[in-house]
Amino acid sequence: MKITKRKAFRTLAGPIWAENPISIQMLGICSALAVTVQLKTAIVMGMSMTFVVAFSSLIVSMMRNWVPRNIRILVELAVIATLVILADEFLRAYYYDISKQLSVFVGLIITNCIVMGRAEAFALSNPPHLAFIDGIGNGAGYGSVLVTVAFIRELFGSGKLFGIKIIPESFYASGYEDMGFMLLAPAAFIIIGLLVWLQRYLAGD
Amino acid sequence: MSDLVNIFLNSVFVGNILLAYFLGMCSFVAVSKNIDTAIGLGFAVVFVLTITTPVNWLIYHFLLAPGALSWAGFPDMDLSYLKLVMFIVVIATMVQVIEMMIDRFSAALYSALGVFLPLIAVNCAILGTSLFMVERNHTFWESTVFGFGSGVGWMLAIVTMAAIRMKLRYADIPKGLEGYGITMIVTGLMAMAFMLFSGITL
């Protein structure tokens, strides 16, 4: 059987492109855009998100046969909150300056609809290994949009990537200027809108 | 006093919780199709934010902050890592209590806000405001004004957006950009307009 036909592969690849949580399903845009001024923060945010979705899906899926249906939301919230606190404290301990830049946005992963959405829609009705893969796929799909937006904003906004100057000095000498607008909030909204358009166009929708 | 007015103006316009910090986007995109529901949700958000932000301030400063438990004889206790869980629990509880109170005392208000209240418990603008309140070291009254101002700012944004989207129905938008895409771009333009208020102080 070809690898692209396997269920695990489709579970992983679906959310990255065809069912991307941000650009197609419109989930979890909150907190996604504020961290996209720099690539570094966007990648860290994407990784924290992947960690939280993957493990919350795994844990919810492992508990799915024991937890009574009417208190499941409470249990899911407790699992998610614990994982977010772990991620937050980890960043605070080992990457303090990045954690300062991300400020409240790591904490806001708790209320991100993607995590709760995957727990409800997928993990409750699928075995743990698939739920884990689905979580990684959704985290990666979320992260890929974040990184694309951050790439555009950092490159055009400050001429840098990962804090290193990319646009050569000769450009500036001949009159090129950084687009300060890219660093402001409105640019993030407009870039996301255009990315959605591009993806729907490419998907032939 | 002028401090409070400045915090209010700043949280409504320049530091608008939605247009400058991107919080509460999910319900913003989903509910801004109709102006009446947008107004209903907007009022519910103002209401919940004005109550939960000061309540979370009390919880944080008397239970969780480093040294906050000294009144109970634990001056070295630092429970601030619990703030995420506590805030979520407080918000969910307050939303439930408010829903019950509205149901008991005002049938008209309940029929207007009732369906939106459970939605609000998971709106990131509510948790975000409480977290910003901690990060910016507001006092009790400042946090009350900040919560109220954030709510008003969010409501202003969603009601304006709903009005614009009603007009957009008659526009000829390129295929693929309809709906979600154009909403984001219009939000971007609105955010730009709100930035004009920056630098205004009283």
Side-chain angles (χ1 to χ4, degrees):
Chain A
M1 196 158 83
K2 263 173 74 181
I3 185 166
T4 51
K5 291 271 163 55
R6 291 218 182 113
K7 186 154 192 230
F9 180 83
R10 274 186 287 139
T11 317
L12 180 68
I16 295 181
W17 177 254
E19 296 154 29
N20 189 295
I22 295 189
S23 59
I24 300 294
Q25 301 184 48
M26 306 185 214
L27 290 178
I29 334 163
C30 352
S31 79
L33 296 172
V35 299
T36 53
V37 177
Q38 293 173 347
L39 262 178
K40 201 168 64 182
T41 48
I43 288 176
V44 172
M45 185 70 186
M47 278 161 51
S48 327
M49 184 71 185
T50 312
F51 164 78
V52 174
V53 196
F55 282 94
S56 80
S57 288
L58 177 72
I59 295 170
V60 168
S61 171
M62 287 192 317
M63 296 195 303
R64 72 187 189 284
N65 294 329
W66 303 324
V67 176
R69 228 181 139 63
N70 42 4
I71 62 156
R72 69 182 195 286
I73 302 228
L74 208 65
V75 175
E76 283 160 16
L77 212 51
V79 170
I80 295 167
T82 314
L83 288 166
V84 171
I85 292 177
L86 277 180
D88 195 25
E89 294 290 311
F90 177 83
L91 288 179
R92 225 170 264 250
Y94 293 100
Y95 301 96
Y96 186 71
D97 30 321
I98 293 186
S99 137
K100 260 275 164 282
Q101 284 174 0
L102 287 173
S103 85
V104 304
F105 292 100
V106 175
L108 286 172
I109 294 179
I110 294 185
T111 48
N112 194 311
C113 352
I114 298 177
V115 191
M116 200 68 160
R118 289 333 286 176
E120 280 282 297
F122 196 90
L124 275 182
S125 50
N126 283 284
H129 67 281
L130 277 183
F132 187 67
I133 291 173
D134 176 74
I136 290 186
N138 275 285
Y142 170 91
S144 65
V145 175
L146 243 63
V147 168
T148 317
V149 177
F151 178 81
I152 298 173
R153 286 180 80 183
E154 193 177 359
L155 181 63
F156 293 108
S158 48
K160 296 174 182 171
L161 288 178
F162 295 106
I164 300 162
K165 213 69 185 155
I166 292 289
I167 311 265
E169 278 307 318
S170 55
F171 273 49
Y172 291 102
S174 59
Y176 176 85
E177 275 183 40
D178 286 329
M179 215 194 301
F181 174 65
M182 280 291 168
L183 301 177
L184 304 173
F189 287 115
I190 291 174
I191 292 171
I192 266 280
L194 294 175
L195 279 180
V196 169
W197 189 10
L198 179 71
Q199 187 178 2
R200 289 199 180 161
Y201 176 75
L202 291 179
D205 176 21
Chain B
M1 191 61 205
S2 70
D3 265 9
L4 294 183
V5 175
N6 273 333
I7 286 178
F8 178 75
L9 287 181
N10 192 53
S11 55
V12 175
F13 296 110
V14 187
N16 188 298
I17 194 102
L18 187 115
L19 297 169
Y21 295 103
F22 312 96
L23 297 180
M25 279 303 293
C26 306
S27 28
F28 175 77
V29 174
V31 182
S32 63
K33 283 178 192 133
N34 181 316
I35 200 155
D36 292 329
T37 44
I39 292 175
L41 184 67
F43 271 114
V45 166
V46 175
F47 202 64
V48 171
L49 267 178
T50 317
I51 294 174
T52 55
T53 317
V55 169
N56 276 338
W57 188 92
L58 291 176
I59 299 259
Y60 186 75
H61 285 269
F62 289 105
L63 290 178
L64 303 177
L69 275 174
S70 50
W71 57 268
F74 302 103
D76 300 327
M77 197 85 101
D78 176 6
L79 294 176
S80 55
Y81 62 91
L82 282 178
K83 68 172 188 280
L84 288 175
V85 181
M86 277 306 268
F87 286 179
I88 278 282
V89 172
V90 168
I91 290 167
T93 320
M94 287 313 293
V95 168
Q96 197 75 60
V97 170
I98 293 168
E99 193 182 354
M100 276 150 53
M101 274 166 52
I102 294 181
D103 190 19
R104 171 74 180 75
F105 294 112
S106 164
L109 197 60
Y110 185 75
S111 63
L113 299 185
V115 280
F116 301 115
L117 283 171
L119 259 180
I120 285 176
V122 289
N123 187 326
C124 18
I126 314 284
L127 180 63
T129 307
S130 286
L131 292 175
F132 274 129
M133 172 268 293
V134 169
E135 204 183 71
R136 293 176 191 170
N137 291 321
H138 283 321
T139 63
F140 179 75
W141 290 111
E142 281 171 358
S143 71
T144 314
V145 171
F146 177 61
F148 178 66
S150 297
V152 172
W154 197 87
M155 179 174 164
L156 197 63
I158 193 171
V159 172
T160 322
M161 189 67 211
I164 295 176
R165 280 181 86 168
M166 302 238 316
K167 291 283 174 199
L168 272 180
R169 280 188 212 149
Y170 307 107
D172 186 16
I173 300 162
K175 204 169 175 299
L177 193 61
E178 294 152 331
Y180 185 32
I182 195 72
T183 308
M184 292 308 277
I185 292 178
V186 171
T187 314
L189 297 174
M190 265 170 65
M192 238 189 277
F194 270 65
M195 285 180 63
L196 293 178
F197 292 107
S198 59
I200 295 179
T201 47
L202 285 182

